Amino acid sequence: MALNIQRLNFDPVTGDNPSEGFMKLDLNIGEIVEAIDGDGTPENTGIEQRLSDAESKISNLQPISISGLYAGRPLAPSVPPWTIYYATDVLEAYLSNGTVWTVLPTSGGELGYAEKVSASSTSSTSPVDIAGLTVTCRVGEKPVIVEYGGAVRHQSTTGIFVIQMVYGDSVTQGSRIVGSGGYVYLERKTRISGLTPGSTQTFKLRMNAASAGTVDIYADANDRPFIRVANT
């Protein structure tokens, strides 16, 4: 049988923006059948019904959403285009275009938080960990924001208090406060990028006296020093 292909009319009725879902094709079954045999009469019994079923399935396609740990994310080519994967441990969502994953623009997900209700003191001139102010969490592909705060002092009016935020073995941020004998509230943020996606990282606070004397970080049930790690 010779096919008389007259025309196929595929009319997109929605955009191809992934956020709007899959493109849906308005398939004109009569025109497809006419294109197949030229007179609108199916040569193969049931072809019109099968085409109608196919149209229904295409029209009802929805983006696929799956979730799991970051390490369990499948390869992008192994899932249909526009699949969304949510990594529950690093609080990030990714979109596959059928070739690569792209991280979606979400932010502010808290990866870890710690606070304390009892004060700490030291006379050490070398940095020491502040008990209770350590966060260990898994990071994703985006940079993280580390925020910390608390009331600190050097007991000497001329002493120098040093507090550091550390991850791994690297000091990423430090503050020096000249003591006045009274407490000063300190709060800072730092942005950290370049961490290995899916890796577990530890962020902690250290303090020391840069001059002779004792340094304190105040804490009670109503005034709690803290450290917080979140996605950008």
Side-chain angles (χ1 to χ4, degrees):
M1 176 187 70
L3 295 181
N4 178 14
I5 305 298
Q6 296 179 355
R7 62 175 177 151
L8 292 176
N9 180 26
F10 295 90
D11 182 23
V13 296
T14 64
D16 58 1
N17 187 329
S19 67
E20 297 177 4
F22 281 106
M23 178 184 291
K24 182 173 68 173
L25 301 180
D26 184 11
L27 304 181
N28 187 316
I29 299 303
E31 289 185 342
I32 292 177
V33 171
E34 183 177 352
I36 292 174
D37 69 0
D39 62 6
T41 303
E43 298 292 336
N44 186 354
T45 302
I47 187 172
E48 186 169 1
Q49 182 59 49
R50 290 197 295 274
L51 288 171
S52 179
D53 291 343
E55 177 190 32
S56 177
K57 291 179 180 178
I58 292 173
S59 298
N60 291 327
L61 282 176
Q62 298 294 328
I64 298 172
S65 179
I66 52 180
S67 63
L69 299 179
Y70 181 85
R73 188 182 69 179
L75 296 176
S78 70
V79 297
W82 315 130
T83 293
I84 296 173
Y85 185 88
Y86 182 72
T88 56
D89 52 346
V90 300
L91 306 182
E92 288 182 351
Y94 312 90
L95 178 69
S96 171
N97 64 3
T99 303
V100 297
W101 290 104
T102 300
V103 63
L104 293 175
T106 57
S107 64
E110 186 172 270
L111 300 175
Y113 178 85
E115 63 183 16
K116 59 182 299 176
V117 296
S118 59
S120 294
S121 300
T122 184
S123 298
S124 173
T125 56
S126 299
V128 295
D129 294 352
I130 303 176
L133 295 182
T134 296
V135 168
T136 299
C137 59
R138 187 168 291 134
V139 299
E141 298 182 4
K142 296 190 294 183
V144 298
I145 296 292
V146 181
E147 178 182 8
Y148 62 90
V152 299
R153 72 172 179 177
H154 193 296
Q155 293 183 7
S156 168
T157 57
T158 58
I160 299 176
F161 176 102
V162 177
I163 187 168
Q164 300 172 337
M165 193 286 296
V166 182
Y167 78 96
D169 293 322
S170 302
V171 176
T172 62
Q173 187 180 87
S175 298
R176 296 170 63 89
I177 298 176
V178 177
S180 62
Y183 284 98
V184 176
Y185 190 82
L186 169 71
E187 185 168 355
R188 296 194 65 173
K189 292 182 180 180
T190 188
R191 179 181 184 273
I192 300 175
S193 60
L195 301 176
T196 301
S199 66
T200 298
Q201 299 286 336
T202 296
F203 306 86
K204 58 187 175 181
L205 296 184
R206 291 175 173 170
M207 67 180 183
N208 67 280
S211 58
T214 301
V215 294
D216 306 304
I217 183 165
Y218 182 80
D220 64 22
N222 298 313
D223 192 351
R224 307 180 184 191
F226 71 93
I227 180 171
R228 177 178 184 267
V229 183
N231 284 331
T232 54

